[in-house]
Amino acid sequence: MGRETLWLAVGFGGQLAFTGRFALQWLYSEYKKRSVIPVGFWYLSIIGSALLLAYAIYREDPVFIVGQSFGFIVYLRNLQLIAKQHGQENRELAEKG
């Protein structure tokens, strides 16, 4: 596999993860019968963003780099907030039990 083919695979992999996150959110919301964003959405977001950011850096595309950098920070922060919330919930359960 050549260098260009490898980077195309990285780019398409990132795009696939991004598309997958919307499919996951839609299907999960249909299952719950309300709009819900599952944790997997954020993991697919950060994976897709990291792959697309790497691809953008390789392509030296400043617009794409800035856009994916901002998204990466937002997705990472959401995962941190979720982890913090789960930690608080676990502590509350431990105190009750």
Side-chain angles (χ1 to χ4, degrees), residues 1-20:
M1 177 182 302
R3 184 177 181 174
E4 285 298 313
T5 304
L6 175 63
W7 279 108
L8 282 173
V10 168
F12 279 118
Q15 195 59 52
L16 181 63
F18 255 47
T19 301

Side-chain angles (χ1 to χ4, degrees), residues 29-97:
S29 291
E30 290 292 336
Y31 172 74
K32 292 289 189 175
K33 304 293 186 220
R34 61 187 170 88
S35 183
V36 180
I37 298 178
V39 176
F41 177 91
W42 299 112
Y43 282 109
L44 286 172
S45 296
I46 204 151
I47 291 166
S49 182
L51 290 172
L52 288 173
L53 179 57
Y55 182 74
I57 291 168
Y58 172 74
R59 293 287 181 192
E60 299 177 359
D61 184 329
V63 174
F64 204 17
I65 291 168
V66 169
Q68 290 305 316
S69 296
F70 178 73
F72 187 86
I73 292 166
V74 171
Y75 309 139
L76 182 60
R77 181 63 180 147
N78 273 284
L79 286 170
Q80 289 174 333
L81 292 171
I82 290 167
K84 181 180 177 182
Q85 179 183 356
H86 286 293
Q88 288 173 344
E89 290 169 358
N90 289 339
R91 281 189 296 279
E92 289 172 5
L93 285 174
E95 289 172 2
K96 289 180 182 178

